[in-house]
Amino acid sequence: MKNSILFIGDIVGEPGLQIVREHLKHLIDKYNADFVIANGENVTNGKGITKEEAEELFSLGVDVITQGNPGKGIKIAKSKLGNQIAVVQLQGRAFMYSIDCPFRAMEYALNQIKNKAQVIIVDFHAEATAEKVAMGWFVDGKVSALIGTHTHIQTADASLLPNGTAYITDVGMTGPYDSVLGLDKNIALKRFTLQTAHKYKLAERDVHLCGAHLLIDSQTGQALHIESFIIPNFERSVYEKS
């Protein structure tokens, strides 16, 4: 038995939520997905998520919402195939708020999950590329996939590590790309060039949906395939099954 899992990258604001509304069902059909994870940290105007927005994502087909900085840390949920899937939310500490060691936190999570789920998907919410790569090697063979989030730019390194863990440094942003990571580019430029505070304003144009598809052996928990994707809002032909 194989789990077909979709991971939707950081959903930013109403533009990001809207493109999920328009495309998620097609993606589930295309990949015959039995489990969907979405990072929802930025849904409410780029900051957090409301109960109503979370409920809408669940109604659209999302099984687990990861949150980045806040959240419970571990969630075990049943896939449509009937097996248990563990989702871990892990936060890095390089160039971020000082927290406990993510490597020790990962070991703690694995001990909590032991004998409860064979398939384990980790959302590693971190700033530094090196920290994400290091974590990938740390968990290789211990988890099914390590998916990087937070930096909002999809990296071109989706791969299978030697011991069976799927890896990508950052899965990318689902939101407006005529922006600076979702922020109105004019506001962002003022912040950088003037070094003064300016009120956050969400961008709205050139919306894309970023994500990754995972194929996992349900019995061993080993990853068999990882494929990243970026879908412009106008793109329709991507849903034609080969």
Side-chain angles (χ1 to χ4, degrees):
M1 188 168 66
K2 301 173 185 177
N3 284 111
S4 178
I5 300 172
L6 285 174
F7 191 109
I8 306 301
D10 308 42
I11 302 169
V12 178
E14 177 61 26
L17 186 55
Q18 179 59 32
I19 197 171
V20 172
R21 291 185 188 112
E22 296 176 4
H23 289 261
L24 184 56
K25 183 181 184 303
H26 299 291
L27 285 167
I28 291 171
D29 290 343
K30 176 185 178 180
Y31 290 106
N32 194 25
D34 55 77
F35 200 79
V36 179
I37 305 165
N39 185 293
E41 165 186 53
N42 301 123
V43 176
T44 304
N45 197 35
K47 298 179 180 179
I49 186 170
T50 66
K51 179 182 178 181
E52 291 73 23
E53 289 162 340
E55 288 175 346
E56 180 175 7
L57 285 173
F58 290 137
S59 72
L60 292 171
V62 174
D63 295 287
V64 172
I65 300 170
T66 55
Q67 284 263 44
N69 300 18
K72 294 182 177 179
I74 302 170
K75 175 66 177 179
I76 298 177
K78 186 178 291 188
S79 78
K80 292 179 179 63
L81 296 182
N83 65 311
Q84 299 291 334
I85 294 180
V87 179
V88 177
Q89 178 68 78
L90 194 64
Q91 183 181 327
R93 61 178 174 179
F95 308 119
M96 298 180 75
Y97 292 114
S98 181
I99 57 170
D100 290 340
C101 173
F103 295 88
R104 292 193 180 94
M106 188 68 245
E107 289 181 326
Y108 170 81
L110 289 171
N111 285 329
Q112 296 299 304
I113 295 166
K114 189 180 297 183
N115 301 323
K116 296 178 182 177
Q118 199 67 32
V119 177
I120 305 170
I121 311 297
V122 181
D123 176 342
F124 190 27
H125 197 75
E127 188 77 30
T129 300
E131 188 177 28
K132 292 180 177 180
V133 173
M135 184 63 73
W137 292 120
F138 185 73
V139 298
D140 183 24
K142 302 174 185 175
V143 306
S144 306
L146 183 82
I147 308 296
T149 62
H150 182 61
T151 54
H152 286 201
I153 301 294
Q154 188 177 102
T155 54
D157 61 343
S159 60
L160 296 179
L161 299 180
N163 294 313
T165 294
Y167 174 86
I168 185 169
T169 298
D170 201 285
V171 72
M173 174 183 75
T174 296
Y177 276 62
D178 183 30
S179 71
V180 176
L181 308 184
L183 172 66
D184 181 289
K185 60 189 179 187
N186 295 314
I187 299 296
L189 287 171
K190 287 179 181 179
R191 287 183 174 184
F192 280 113
T193 59
L194 301 177
Q195 291 292 294
T196 54
H198 288 79
K199 185 178 179 180
Y200 184 92
K201 180 182 178 184
L202 184 70
E204 298 178 353
R205 300 178 58 189
D206 193 23
V207 184
H208 291 55
L209 188 155
C210 279
H213 172 244
L214 305 164
L215 197 61
I216 310 293
D217 186 309
S218 309
Q219 305 303 316
T220 66
Q222 286 197 324
L224 305 172
H225 175 76
I226 179 172
E227 171 191 346
S228 59
F229 53 80
I230 302 177
I231 301 172
N233 197 29
F234 58 81
E235 184 63 69
R236 299 294 177 183
S237 62
V238 293
Y239 305 122
E240 296 177 3
K241 291 185 178 180
S242 57

